[in-house]
Amino acid sequence: MASWQVDIPGLSQLVLGAGAHGLKQLALSGVDIHTLACMLMVSELTPASQGFRITLNTLREKQRNERQWLFNLVEIGAGSSFLVDHLLKTRAGENVLALMASIVPFISPDACIATLSILFDTAGVPLDHTPGVSQFYKLRSALVPFTRVVGFQERVLQYHSLLERIASQQTTPDTAPTSPYDAIPGKHDLPRILQLCHRIATSEKVAVLVYKGFQGSGWVAAYASSILGFPVCAVDNSGVQIPLNDHYGKAKVILEPAAQECACELRLEGDLSDVISVESLDQPSRRGWSVNCLKLGFLAHNLPDLTNPTHISIVSDIVAFIALNQVVKYANWLNRSYTRMPGFRPYLVAVSPQIQQRSLDILSLLGFQKNQRSHYSFDAQFRCKGPLSDQYLANELKRNRINKERLISVLKRRDFASERDSPLYRTPERVCEILERASAFASLLAFTDWDSSLRTMAAPWFHGHFRYTPIMLDVTGSLRMGNDPTEKLRDALNACTDVADMRSPSQEIFLPDWIAINLDGVVVLRTLSTCLSINTAQGRVFSLFPGHISFEGQHRNIVRMPFEEGVSSYSFENPDQHVRPMDVVPLLRSRILFSGYGETLWARCEILNGQDLLTIADSASISTAISQMLVAVPCGHPYSTTYHRTETLREGKPNPIMLAGFHLFKPSPFDPENPPRTTIYYQQVDENNLAQWLACEWHKRYNATENLVSQEEACLECVVKRVLKGADKNSHLKFSRVSCIIGGRTGVSV
């Protein structure tokens, strides 16, 4: 047994090695220097092979360049991590990282802390040398982003899928898969298995670990082969030896996944030395496992025997057809409660072409054939009609409403009947389930920047343990969440992270004024609140990054930008009462101020005109306003902002219509005793991206408008007529209808 007496000279050397800057960084992370020393001492129980330690250093070099900046001041990502860099300086530190990489990505924070505590207890470490619960939490939080890029969780899932087939005596994955979390031993068994592996690594006798049963076998296989570098071999129920990385005669770990009992045995010189029974991982602990889709292909994992290029091309067109139409359906669902007017499209519907292209990019990252949106035909509502290059398939897809039975019919009526070994013929139901799961994932994550940032999928989604059922609609078919799409796209976060149970309506994760939030190592940005431009979002509601939110070296969990009163709005008058193209705000710029308090970082967005403070922007309400915005459909007339005097807008109508334009952020007053039936405010911002973005705050600040309209490629005359026509349809209402038009091209495609 190792001696756990405090090594005072070693601790002093650790302090000297860290230096003043290092000690400050440790303090900012909340990890105590004594906690780090304790972890380094226990690391001898969890050795790592030379190859795995080289992998850790290589991945860290790559990760240092992966960072983003929010408003040029707040770092988002894992590029700066003093704790990881310091641990990589010694072999003991590398062992600590290997230990954390083997448990952190698979189990909940509570289960992880319980596992580490049990490891210290079973190792006989004195209580005064065992970190407390809060220190374990902070250590885990600091290391989460790095442990998820190591690639260990992908290896576990690969072995789990292989051992699953061995246990069921099948050569192909034709049956419904088990839960990926079945690959993980129980939190009380993990420390004991680690100790048995340590005994094998340090024993002078011939030692072999025999693992019986399917539960936890995937994790044992990956830990033994990838981290320890042991030769591993599996044996099926009939005694056939299946080498995983070496043959049976050299194996130090032998797996028997088909065994009825679930136990881990240590044999020394052929004699049974120790045995433990293994339990399954309890349900509350099953959280956090995500898979990098660049390291492990979704299609290759779920359909490994689908290799025919023609078959891959056809299933790619089918899954794309489903995803492209699902994007339009989601966009309409998300805008379902908003005002509809002829001649306008809701914002998310207007940018559907860009969202649809992202869904295709996501499908290509999942392993399907890469196609551009131009490969398919669409109707005027952006609904996909099928691939242009395969008229037979296009006709089959549009003949009936797409469903599993129709997909099976399409597959079986192709030229697959003669190929008995193809999964498209052998198990079309399973193929359809995989295509449905892939299309649901692609259509959901297309509303984010997943294709260029996170690129991970929750293990239950990836392995197909459950069938996806959208939660956007309740049993009555009505929306059950608020108007902000961030509240309705929680499914997207569940699909790619598996870090939090966001299906519970009572769990409040997103506050009304949130800008960025850290969900256990995955940072979610509210894109429409942070981009300071309408046209750069392109329908991205979320932005996703692995890592932390860091400001001045300290990690924060949430960035909030509450609205503050006290600064008057500013008005730019047009003296000749004509609306015409002009940049009324040439010097408009933004300035973001930050103030930290605990785990919250407070931000304030100030809008300046030259050196003068105009207003404080309410970014949260701007995000909601953009998602509710109506975008004008092109009218075919030459684009122009020139319009006649305000008197011509009345056009003999019995109720006056006010064109109270020429103002930025501030409406003109009217007689409260005789309000017009319809009031139109024209925000003359033209091509200024920041002014366009800021104009979206107007309706919230003054609580007056029903419709927020983006002019886009339509002429102003047609936009105004469409607004008036929409008002006439509701002329029976007693209140005044108010519309705000954002003038100029914002770059939103319609």
Side-chain angles (χ1 to χ4, degrees), residues 79-154:
S80 298
S81 180
F82 170 81
L83 189 58
V84 174
D85 292 334
H86 189 74
L87 288 172
L88 287 173
K89 292 180 179 179
T90 64
R91 183 167 181 174
E94 292 170 338
N95 289 348
V96 171
L97 290 175
L99 166 65
M100 299 300 285
S102 68
I103 60 176
V104 168
F106 306 99
I107 54 180
S108 66
D110 291 345
C112 179
I113 274 58
T115 300
L116 292 174
S117 299
I118 295 170
L119 178 62
F120 274 77
D121 291 342
T122 55
V125 180
L127 296 180
D128 55 346
H129 299 153
T130 301
V133 171
S134 64
Q135 283 294 297
F136 275 136
Y137 271 111
K138 291 176 181 177
L139 177 70
R140 178 197 174 277
S141 176
L143 299 180
V144 160
F146 181 71
T147 61
R148 289 188 178 143
V149 302
V150 170
F152 182 69
Q153 58 268 42
E154 287 80 23

Side-chain angles (χ1 to χ4, degrees), residues 458-471:
W461 274 77
F462 195 95
H463 196 59
H465 176 56
F466 69 95
R467 291 186 57 79
Y468 168 68
T469 302
I471 65 167

Side-chain angles (χ1 to χ4, degrees), residues 340-368:
R340 298 299 179 96
M341 289 197 303
F344 297 97
R345 291 192 179 106
Y347 167 74
L348 289 176
V349 176
V351 295
S352 289
Q354 292 94 321
I355 302 175
Q356 287 174 325
Q357 181 58 55
R358 280 199 300 275
S359 71
L360 295 177
D361 294 339
I362 293 173
L363 288 174
S364 69
L365 292 173
L366 298 185
F368 295 93

Side-chain angles (χ1 to χ4, degrees), residues 211-266:
Y211 194 91
K212 297 181 179 181
F214 176 67
Q215 176 67 46
S217 59
W219 184 91
V220 172
Y223 183 79
S225 61
S226 299
I227 295 183
L228 298 178
F230 288 169
V232 182
C233 183
V235 180
D236 67 11
N237 201 30
S238 58
V240 177
Q241 301 168 8
I242 305 172
L244 299 186
N245 66 347
D246 214 329
H247 60 80
Y248 185 85
K250 290 186 176 181
K252 286 191 174 183
V253 176
I254 298 175
L255 304 169
E256 300 177 5
Q260 296 299 318
E261 61 177 332
C262 196
C264 187
E265 300 176 353
L266 176 63

Side-chain angles (χ1 to χ4, degrees), residues 151-406:
F152 182 69
Q153 58 268 42
E154 287 80 23
R155 295 291 293 170
V156 172
L157 194 59
Q158 284 179 307
Y159 280 124
H160 175 71
S161 181
L162 174 60
L163 295 171
E164 187 176 36
R165 294 198 294 271
I166 295 175
S168 60
Q169 298 295 303
Q170 291 185 354
T171 58
T172 57
D174 291 343
T175 59
T178 62
S179 169
Y181 287 102
D182 289 340
I184 314 300
K187 60 185 177 184
H188 295 284
D189 301 320
L190 278 170
R192 300 169 67 187
I193 296 174
L194 290 171
Q195 282 192 308
L196 294 183
C197 291
H198 172 258
R199 290 175 61 182
I200 295 176
T202 58
S203 176
E204 297 180 356
K205 299 180 180 180
V206 178
V208 176
L209 184 74
V210 179
Y211 194 91
K212 297 181 179 181
F214 176 67
Q215 176 67 46
S217 59
W219 184 91
V220 172
Y223 183 79
S225 61
S226 299
I227 295 183
L228 298 178
F230 288 169
V232 182
C233 183
V235 180
D236 67 11
N237 201 30
S238 58
V240 177
Q241 301 168 8
I242 305 172
L244 299 186
N245 66 347
D246 214 329
H247 60 80
Y248 185 85
K250 290 186 176 181
K252 286 191 174 183
V253 176
I254 298 175
L255 304 169
E256 300 177 5
Q260 296 299 318
E261 61 177 332
C262 196
C264 187
E265 300 176 353
L266 176 63
R267 296 183 179 273
L268 298 178
E269 303 289 351
D271 297 327
L272 183 62
S273 175
D274 200 351
V275 60
I276 60 174
S277 60
V278 180
E279 298 179 353
S280 61
L281 188 66
D282 59 291
Q283 195 64 36
S285 301
R286 301 186 174 204
R287 204 187 90 186
W289 191 353
S290 58
V291 178
N292 190 321
C293 294
L294 298 183
K295 295 180 179 180
L296 186 60
F298 172 87
L299 185 60
H301 175 82
N302 287 277
L303 292 173
D305 48 344
L306 180 63
T307 57
N308 188 306
T310 302
H311 297 180
I312 294 177
S313 175
I314 291 176
V315 298
S316 297
D317 282 336
I318 293 175
V319 73
F321 174 83
I322 302 173
L324 291 170
N325 287 314
Q326 196 68 27
V327 164
V328 178
K329 184 180 295 185
Y330 281 150
N332 281 285
W333 276 355
L334 294 170
N335 289 114
R336 187 175 179 180
S337 60
Y338 305 151
T339 303
R340 298 299 179 96
M341 289 197 303
F344 297 97
R345 291 192 179 106
Y347 167 74
L348 289 176
V349 176
V351 295
S352 289
Q354 292 94 321
I355 302 175
Q356 287 174 325
Q357 181 58 55
R358 280 199 300 275
S359 71
L360 295 177
D361 294 339
I362 293 173
L363 288 174
S364 69
L365 292 173
L366 298 185
F368 295 93
Q369 182 174 293
K370 183 175 178 61
N371 289 318
Q372 296 297 315
R373 187 175 180 273
S374 57
H375 179 73
Y376 304 92
S377 61
F378 298 86
D379 62 16
Q381 285 72 43
F382 307 127
R383 292 190 295 260
C384 180
K385 298 190 293 185
L388 293 171
S389 59
D390 192 337
Q391 192 60 44
Y392 171 83
L393 183 60
N395 291 335
E396 288 295 305
L397 291 174
K398 71 180 182 180
R399 183 174 298 177
N400 290 321
R401 183 177 179 181
I402 198 71
N403 54 35
K404 177 185 288 188
E405 290 71 23
R406 192 62 192 165

Side-chain angles (χ1 to χ4, degrees), residues 578-638:
H578 280 77
V579 183
R580 59 192 180 191
M582 61 180 295
D583 190 353
V584 296
V585 281
L587 301 179
L588 196 68
R589 61 188 180 89
S590 64
R591 179 176 67 188
I592 313 296
L593 306 178
F594 292 98
S595 176
Y597 183 78
E599 296 183 343
T600 301
L601 184 63
W602 297 94
R604 185 169 104 163
C605 181
E606 297 182 348
I607 306 300
L608 308 174
N609 183 36
Q611 298 299 319
D612 299 329
L613 176 62
L614 298 184
T615 186
I616 299 174
D618 184 0
S619 296
S621 69
I622 290 175
S623 174
T624 302
I626 294 175
S627 64
Q628 299 177 13
M629 182 173 63
L630 297 174
V631 180
V633 176
C635 60
H637 302 145

